[in-house]
Amino acid sequence: MVRSGNKLKRILSIAPLASAVAWAQGVFAQVPQSVFAPAGPVAQTQLNLLSLTLWIAIGIFVVVGSILLYTVIRFRARPGDPIPKQIQGNTTLEVIWTVIPIIILIVIAVPTVRDAFGLASPPPVDDVLNVRVIGYQWWWAFEYPDLGIVTANELRVPVGKVVNLTLESNDVIHSFWVPRLAGKMDVIPNRVNTMWFVAEEAGIYYGQCAEFCGTSHANMRFRVIAQPENEFHAWVEGRRAVEAFSPANDLVARGQAIFESTGTCFACHNVDGTAANGQVGPDLTDFASRTTIAAGLLANTPENLARWLRDPQAVKPGALMPRLPLSDDDIQALTAFLYSLE
């Protein structure tokens, strides 16, 4: 019995398992898109619920697994053992293992329902930033209806402010997901879904489409850039102050002329202050201030932009932007023009 008792103690020891779980959470928290590093109240609430269910599941695994191992070791068949006594079910045990799951389900259900209703609507505050999100194959449009601003693939928000999103799709089902700020929300054609978040720390938060939507689904990325309020207002004022575009030099002027005379450019993209007012592709008015191009796929550098202009399909399979008959000089001029758009 002493030997069996020592085995049971070793089996029931969960310290190594708890340490392993804590280590895994710490490692995953360093990943840019990690639910274990929440930076806002929505993500924190969702992590708390995840942690609760995770630890309950671990507890069930440890208890059931330990009892199973103990039973296998303690009551294993030995040479010469008689056939065990045959008995019917134990009513007391059956009641216990029926009641315990009910209690566990209640423990999980209560915070789940509470949090689901609590996160369904943004907090009742007066100062809310409203943003309309539209999903396209394969990029994101962000419209600020109260500010008169439209941008793409990079959502700028002030730190500490409630951001209320309405989500729509222009084509197929997408899913909007910024793991460190909030959980996933489907973006469905002919339907408007809503969600909200607050970024409590300044920084860049990585997001992506989380619903398979076609060839370049994995390349449908975006970023939420949380800025101190004064920096966000400076960006807003800069966007509002856009006037008639005036090229800084001859190369930029040539790039503007190419952009405004190439049907695919001016018919698909909008650039405030120019003749381009297309609504099919991303708005490029603040192109030079963005950190990425091709919906978060490439860093915004002249080399990557030239690569994109030369052959979009090679960079992003399935992209709706066609390959244009542009010479190296044309690409140089277009690059100069686009990098003058701040």
Side-chain angles (χ1 to χ4, degrees):
M1 292 295 293
V2 174
R3 291 174 58 192
S4 296
N6 290 337
K7 289 179 182 178
L8 180 60
K9 288 180 181 179
R10 288 197 298 270
I11 291 171
L12 293 177
S13 176
I14 65 171
L17 180 60
S19 298
V21 172
W23 174 82
Q25 288 181 335
V27 170
F28 287 127
Q30 306 304 314
V31 177
Q33 289 180 295
S34 174
V35 297
F36 294 107
V42 176
Q44 183 63 63
T45 299
Q46 292 168 340
L47 177 60
N48 292 342
L49 184 59
L50 172 64
S51 298
L52 172 65
T53 56
L54 174 64
W55 283 109
I56 289 176
I58 290 174
I60 293 172
F61 171 78
V62 170
V63 172
V64 174
S66 299
I67 293 174
L68 176 62
L69 288 175
Y70 172 75
T71 302
V72 169
I73 296 171
R74 174 68 178 80
F75 299 104
R76 68 186 185 277
R78 296 175 175 83
D81 283 354
I83 296 176
K85 179 182 178 181
Q86 304 300 300
I87 60 173
Q88 295 293 333
N90 186 304
T91 303
T92 302
L93 287 178
E94 290 180 355
V95 170
I96 290 174
W97 63 52
T98 300
V99 171
I100 289 178
I102 293 175
I103 294 174
I104 292 174
L105 289 176
I106 292 174
V107 170
I108 295 175
V110 170
T112 299
V113 173
R114 179 198 63 204
D115 293 342
F117 280 95
L119 298 179
S121 301
V125 296
D126 295 330
D127 193 15
V128 174
L129 178 65
N130 294 305
V131 179
R132 182 187 179 209
V133 178
I134 306 174
Y136 293 81
Q137 290 178 309
W138 289 271
W139 60 281
W140 299 91
F142 300 121
E143 300 180 4
Y144 300 76
D146 301 330
L147 303 176
I149 294 173
V150 179
T151 187
N153 300 317
E154 293 188 0
L155 174 61
R156 293 178 182 264
V157 301
V159 172
K161 191 169 187 175
V162 175
V163 181
N164 186 36
L165 306 178
T166 58
L167 302 113
E168 308 168 41
S169 172
N170 185 65
D171 35 55
V172 299
I173 297 177
H174 302 284
S175 183
F176 186 89
W177 187 34
V178 192
R180 295 192 61 199
L181 296 178
K184 303 172 185 176
M185 179 60 70
D186 281 347
V187 184
I188 303 173
N190 302 315
R191 175 169 177 169
V192 178
N193 282 342
T194 61
M195 64 179 292
W196 65 276
F197 65 81
V198 176
E200 294 181 331
E201 306 169 9
I204 297 177
Y205 301 95
Y206 298 86
Q208 67 181 65
C209 177
E211 182 80 30
F212 180 72
C213 57
T215 306
S216 270
H217 157 68
N219 299 325
M220 189 174 171
R221 309 171 190 177
F222 65 95
R223 297 184 178 191
V224 176
I225 301 176
Q227 303 174 294
E229 193 160 358
N230 61 326
E231 293 183 14
F232 175 75
H233 286 311
W235 174 76
V236 170
E237 293 305 316
R239 283 299 311 272
R240 285 176 163 176
V242 174
E243 299 176 353
F245 182 79
S246 177
N249 54 54
D250 292 341
L251 185 62
V252 173
R254 181 167 179 267
Q256 180 184 3
I258 294 173
F259 192 92
E260 294 181 345
S261 63
T262 303
T264 303
C265 294
F266 76 82
C268 291
H269 299 283
N270 176 75
V271 177
D272 290 352
T274 73
N277 60 358
Q279 303 298 318
V280 177
D283 189 298
L284 301 179
T285 302
D286 60 343
F287 177 86
S289 66
R290 297 177 190 171
T291 61
T292 64
I293 60 175
L297 189 58
L298 300 173
N300 191 359
T301 66
E303 295 77 17
N304 284 334
L305 178 57
R307 178 185 168 197
W308 172 260
L309 292 173
R310 189 169 291 113
D311 191 356
Q313 302 296 322
V315 176
K316 192 171 186 176
L320 298 183
M321 180 173 170
R323 182 176 181 177
L324 302 174
L326 299 171
S327 66
D328 288 343
D329 289 341
D330 291 340
I331 291 175
Q332 183 182 12
L334 279 171
T335 298
F337 166 66
L338 290 171
Y339 274 107
S340 69
L341 303 176
E342 298 182 354

